[in-house]
Amino acid sequence: AQSVSQHNHHVILSEAASLELGCNYSYGGTVNLFWYVQYPGQHLQLLLKYFSGDPLVKGIKGFEAEFIKSKFSFNLRKPSVQWSDTAEYFCAVNAMNYGGSQGNLIFGKGTKLSVKP
Amino acid sequence: EAGVAQSPRYKIIEKRQSVAFWCNPISGHATLYWYQQILGQGPKLLIQFQNNGVVDDSQLPKDRFSAERLKGVDSTLKIQPAKLEDSAVYLCASSSVRYTDTQYFGPGTRLTVL
């Protein structure tokens, strides 16, 4: 069965530090990839997505992610975090034409990011 | 554009009781999803509707969970009877097209089963 792994459960950074959150998935076929963010007290919202084309994807608020097919990875990056980036980040994969899943989203367990002012 | 609406936001019940959640998707979105998010986990799909038909309910515990989407718009998810392990946030999401489009999530209903 396909799965999504997020390596870090909780990341604590100071403002202006660089961020990289890992995401790996297990599926050898075509995938659509997403990063969702949940700010405290708010609902899940899309940060960025990759469907095809340039494997370096830019999202909102200065975030970007790189799809490396050979590594089955879609890591999220930001060069300089702000206190307002404190949130939980979820990686999700939509596997195209996968068995009976009909291409539904499979989420990782999430990574909590705490940014110290 | 209005987002996905859900109610109630919070619900506390005792085990063996029944509960229902309501979702109103973004206008015009044909696809509607119900997810269960247990504390410390990512959302897990329970059921997916395309208009008013079920596309995938393979992970729905059908002995106690049921869902419907009448007229292809609003949807309700019901649990009867509830178990302690059903304590979770139930999320509704919608998208305009399956597979390739972004899913937009509602605020969720936090269910506590005592």
Side-chain angles (χ1 to χ4, degrees), chain A residues 2-115:
Chain A
Q2 55 179 310
S3 63
V4 177
S5 297
Q6 292 185 241
H7 313 302
N8 308 102
H9 177 64
H10 192 185
V11 173
I12 302 173
L13 296 173
S14 297
E15 277 194 316
S18 64
L19 170 72
E20 181 161 3
L21 301 182
C23 173
N24 287 89
Y25 63 92
S26 62
Y27 180 63
T30 302
V31 292
N32 296 328
L33 299 158
F34 304 80
W35 275 97
Y36 279 85
V37 61
Q38 188 166 26
Y39 297 104
Q42 298 187 26
H43 55 272
L44 275 168
Q45 53 188 287
L46 183 70
L47 202 55
L48 48 80
K49 61 185 178 183
Y50 171 81
F51 286 164
S52 62
D54 189 343
L56 185 60
V57 179
K58 295 191 184 300
I60 61 172
K61 304 186 179 184
F63 285 90
E64 64 179 30
E66 185 176 12
F67 171 48
I68 302 179
K69 189 174 182 179
S70 61
K71 294 184 178 181
F72 300 91
S73 70
F74 190 55
N75 292 355
L76 180 70
R77 300 194 293 248
K78 186 172 184 178
S80 176
V81 295
Q82 301 173 315
W83 177 79
S84 58
D85 293 325
T86 294
E88 189 158 17
Y89 293 81
F90 292 91
C91 180
V93 174
N94 179 327
M96 305 301 292
N97 302 314
Y98 172 76
S101 75
Q102 301 294 314
N104 292 318
L105 277 185
I106 305 297
F107 282 85
K109 292 187 176 182
T111 297
K112 286 186 181 178
L113 172 64
S114 298
V115 180

Side-chain angles (χ1 to χ4, degrees), chain B residues 5 9 12 18-19 23 28-29 40 47 49 54 58 68-70 74 77 84 92-93 101 107 114:
Chain B
R9 293 294 309 277
I12 300 174
S18 62
V19 64
C23 173
H29 279 191
I47 188 167
F49 291 93
V54 175
S58 58
E68 61 181 7
R69 189 183 185 196
L70 300 176
D74 293 6
L77 176 70
L84 296 176
C92 179
D101 203 14
L114 302 175

Side-chain angles (χ1 to χ4, degrees), chain B residues 12 25 30 34-36 40 42 56 58 62 82 84 86 89 101-102 114:
Chain B
I12 300 174
W34 282 102
Y35 289 86
Q36 179 192 58
D56 184 355
S58 58
K62 298 181 188 62
L84 296 176
D86 298 332
V89 176
D101 203 14
T102 300
L114 302 175

Side-chain angles (χ1 to χ4, degrees), chain B residues 53-73:
Chain B
V54 175
V55 172
D56 184 355
D57 63 357
S58 58
Q59 298 192 83
L60 187 74
K62 298 181 188 62
D63 57 334
R64 298 184 299 107
F65 286 64
S66 63
E68 61 181 7
R69 189 183 185 196
L70 300 176
K71 301 181 181 178
V73 181

